[in-house]
Amino acid sequence: MVFCVSSTTTFVIILNGGISVGFSNHTGLIPVVRRILDPNYLANDFNIQLRLFHHRGFAYLTAAFVKLIGEDNALIVLNLLGFTFLNVSVYLFCRTFHISRLAVCAVSVLIATNVAWVGRGLETNTFVGNREINPPTFAHAFALFAISSLLQKRYKQTALLCGLTLLFHLQIGISLVLILSPFYLMLRDRFSVQDWFGCLVLFSIPALITIFDLHAMLQRGLVTLPFSRSDIDFRQVHHFEIASLKAATWVALHLAIIISTYIFVKNKQKSDREKFFPVVVISLSLTALSLIHFLDYYLLNFGSIVKVQFVRMSVFIPIFGAIALVCLINYRAEQRSKEAAIVANLSLIMLTLLLYAVPATRQGRDYSTGIRRLAEQQDSWVAACLWIRENTPPDALFTSPPGNEGFSYLSYRSNVGEFKINPDGPQYLAEWYARLRDLSGGELPMGKGFANVHLLNRAYGALSYEQLSNLGKKYNAKFAILPKSSAVQMNVIYENEKYKIIELPPFGK
């Protein structure tokens, strides 16, 4: 097991693009972690306020590692742990169906390469996750652990693992609880009061942090404040809309493979049919939840359903489809001989790698063995932020291009607002919009999702000195970081190939 998991983990990391530190969601996570470790860190920062309860369990875990081994090392170690947990969960789940270690490797190769849409779902998030370690990687691992435990009829352990899934990711945890609840309802006549109480306690222990944070978010207006389809489309449409017709086709094909494998197992491999039946039920349940999500998003517009993001777990259907396919191949090959099974698995691995090598079929990133740190990038934006960290007062507030990421992470300073660091649901949504509107000259762009990044930056770069001065007075900002193309030239204190920094009145000379 150790060799199998370590080798597949290494393979998954390399084909996922290596390890990244400080990019993407890290730009919103790490300032929150710094606040957890130091309550005085950027005490009035609006972006930290937005993200304070966003995956807070993971933020506390990160903070503990940062305290022990430092910020960059913590993110690297958590990356390794997350991918290791994920591969252990795949290994144990596959071994539940009595397939060989080589067959498990075949499944892992499919997941790492994303060939045949394995490891991808109906929206943009993947089973493995990004090069930057984030909560979904751990949540996917614990969810697969939970389903494996359910197949082995270890119901109390399953409850604990469901709680751990909820701890790492609210939406994934809620979906998991919903799809596993029917299996517990079927046990109502066999479960004693002590059994129910034990499951409840084991579930609640890890889930309490998330439940507490959910309560705090409810008090901040999570369900009472308005939140419309247009709000979703403006800031994070990629989490809600269907990825593509190709995605729907592949997911449907994997669902068909799962059902076909169950029919074969039911007739030929009776020792495993009790374990395959729950996989069919779970896959159909995930399909139903995804359909409900899209029905609300595209037609009903209730809003309350789509907020739960049921579609986030659709990524498990191709995972189950790949495992079912490998099981089916192995069951049929083993009817001939063990040697035939070995040849079948090796052939599947080679075919997968050949398809991955063809750009037209590749769904994953190009491979990488390196560790990328945002702060080490030879980039004008990074250089400007690092200069700010070394040469400006710690309490200075900046206006900056709202489409750019990582300002606070790199500079240890606050800015007025960023597009990437957005509210959870409707909490602080009105103020976030107001700040982006001010940064773009009084009118928000009309793009969808990340298309707004360029539009916001272009509008911000066109602001006049008078508009920037008014921004400084309104938010008490001392400096503005501008694109070099900006017509504003007064009080320039720093300049590089793409950016310049000016002082704003009344702080300028």
Side-chain angles (χ1 to χ4, degrees):
M1 173 181 171
V2 174
F3 174 78
C4 183
V5 169
S6 60
S7 59
T8 53
T9 297
T10 302
F11 190 66
V12 166
I13 291 174
I14 291 173
L15 265 64
N16 197 43
I19 295 174
S20 293
V21 173
F23 296 82
S24 188
N25 287 349
H26 285 179
T27 62
L29 167 70
I30 297 304
V32 173
V33 169
R34 293 170 183 167
R35 172 70 66 81
I36 291 172
L37 294 171
D38 177 9
N40 296 316
Y41 174 78
L42 301 183
N44 299 311
D45 189 273
F46 176 68
N47 295 315
I48 292 178
Q49 187 179 39
L50 290 185
R51 287 305 212 194
L52 199 58
F53 292 101
H54 186 75
H55 302 312
R56 194 160 176 82
F58 183 71
Y60 273 117
L61 176 67
T62 306
F65 275 84
V66 170
K67 186 75 172 177
L68 291 172
I69 57 178
E71 195 169 275
D72 281 9
N73 289 336
L75 294 172
I76 293 168
V77 170
L78 283 171
N79 189 297
L80 295 171
L81 286 176
F83 285 125
T84 300
F85 280 147
L86 195 68
N87 278 279
V88 170
S89 72
V90 171
Y91 178 88
L92 293 178
F93 186 84
C94 291
R95 294 288 282 172
T96 301
F97 300 103
H98 306 111
I99 58 176
S100 67
R101 291 176 177 82
L102 184 59
V104 176
C105 289
V107 172
S108 296
V109 170
L110 281 166
I111 293 172
T113 58
N114 296 145
V115 165
W117 214 257
V118 178
R120 300 178 70 88
L122 293 171
E123 48 101 45
T124 58
N125 288 278
T126 64
F127 180 72
V128 170
N130 300 327
R131 290 171 288 192
E132 305 78 30
I133 189 62
N134 283 302
T137 302
F138 286 91
H140 290 158
F142 283 117
L144 200 54
F145 278 132
I147 297 169
S148 299
S149 180
L150 178 78
L151 298 183
Q152 297 171 53
K153 301 182 180 180
R154 298 173 180 174
Y155 300 112
K156 291 181 180 179
Q157 180 177 293
T158 303
L160 174 65
L161 292 164
C162 284
L164 286 166
T165 305
L166 192 70
L167 171 65
F168 279 93
H169 200 285
L170 178 62
Q171 288 91 346
I172 294 173
I174 290 174
S175 296
L176 182 67
V177 169
L178 284 175
I179 63 175
L180 297 190
S181 292
F183 296 99
Y184 281 86
L185 292 176
M186 290 189 294
L187 297 169
R188 62 185 180 276
D189 295 330
R190 287 185 281 165
F191 259 34
S192 65
V193 174
Q194 290 84 355
D195 291 329
W196 286 114
F197 181 76
C199 288
L200 181 62
V201 169
L202 288 170
F203 171 79
S204 299
I205 290 172
L208 274 177
I209 293 178
T210 299
I211 293 170
F212 172 79
D213 293 342
L214 181 60
H215 174 70
M217 288 191 287
L218 289 171
Q219 290 184 318
R220 294 166 68 176
L222 182 62
V223 296
T224 57
L225 293 173
F227 184 70
S228 66
R229 164 73 183 272
S230 61
D231 297 322
I232 292 171
D233 288 347
F234 178 79
R235 62 197 188 127
Q236 49 182 203
V237 66
H238 59 288
H239 282 320
F240 294 86
E241 67 179 8
I242 191 166
S244 64
L245 179 60
K246 179 192 287 187
T249 303
W250 275 113
V251 170
L253 180 59
H254 281 287
L255 184 62
I257 292 172
I258 294 166
I259 295 172
S260 299
T261 302
Y262 170 68
I263 292 172
F264 173 83
V265 169
K266 184 178 179 182
N267 295 326
K268 304 289 186 181
Q269 204 78 17
K270 296 184 179 180
S271 60
D272 284 331
R273 65 183 178 186
E274 288 187 6
K275 293 176 182 176
F276 260 99
F277 178 71
V279 174
V280 174
V281 173
I282 290 169
S283 300
L284 291 172
S285 299
L286 291 174
T287 303
L289 289 178
S290 298
L291 290 173
I292 291 170
H293 170 96
F294 289 126
L295 182 64
D296 185 26
Y297 180 72
Y298 288 108
L299 295 176
L300 301 178
N301 290 318
F302 287 153
S304 55
I305 296 175
V306 77
K307 286 178 187 177
V308 188
Q309 296 181 33
F310 289 139
V311 74
R312 292 296 289 266
M313 276 198 73
S314 64
V315 69
F316 278 81
I317 298 175
I319 295 295
F320 295 150
I323 294 170
L325 177 64
V326 171
C327 286
L328 184 60
I329 291 171
N330 277 266
Y331 291 157
R332 294 189 69 89
E334 287 172 358
Q335 289 178 349
R336 296 186 176 184
S337 66
K338 290 184 178 180
E339 290 75 14
I342 293 172
V343 171
N345 287 315
L346 289 174
S347 299
L348 179 58
I349 291 171
M350 292 303 297
L351 177 61
T352 301
L353 293 175
L354 285 172
L355 289 173
Y356 177 78
V358 179
T361 62
R362 185 184 303 166
Q363 299 298 331
R365 296 184 175 91
D366 290 335
Y367 69 86
S368 172
T369 58
I371 296 174
R372 293 192 315 148
R373 293 176 174 85
L374 178 59
E376 295 177 353
Q377 301 303 299
Q378 300 300 312
D379 179 85
S380 297
W381 171 249
V382 173
C385 292
L386 295 180
W387 184 91
I388 288 169
R389 179 178 177 179
E390 298 297 328
N391 297 279
T392 61
D395 61 347
L397 179 68
F398 286 73
T399 68
S400 63
N404 286 20
E405 299 178 15
F407 177 82
S408 293
Y409 169 77
L410 292 165
S411 69
Y412 283 67
R413 303 293 184 268
S414 296
N415 61 357
V416 172
E418 290 183 20
F419 176 77
K420 173 68 174 176
I421 303 178
N422 53 60
D424 287 315
Q427 306 164 89
Y428 300 109
L429 184 62
E431 185 175 351
W432 181 71
Y433 274 141
R435 287 173 178 249
L436 291 184
R437 191 176 290 110
D438 288 341
L439 289 166
S440 56
E443 189 172 333
L444 289 171
M446 302 299 291
K448 290 182 67 175
F450 287 116
N452 286 311
V453 168
H454 173 70
L455 299 174
L456 285 165
N457 280 355
R458 185 172 64 186
Y460 174 78
L463 294 179
S464 66
Y465 185 76
E466 181 182 5
Q467 288 174 306
L468 288 167
S469 299
N470 290 334
L471 268 175
K473 292 175 183 177
K474 180 174 181 177
Y475 293 103
N476 203 26
K478 295 182 179 181
F479 304 95
I481 178 170
L482 300 168
K484 195 171 182 179
S485 59
S486 169
V488 176
Q489 297 294 334
M490 296 179 65
N491 306 323
V492 176
I493 60 174
Y494 170 84
E495 192 169 12
N496 64 28
E497 292 181 355
K498 293 184 179 180
Y499 296 96
K500 59 189 175 186
I501 300 170
I502 67 167
E503 289 184 285
L504 295 172
F507 309 103
K509 297 179 181 179

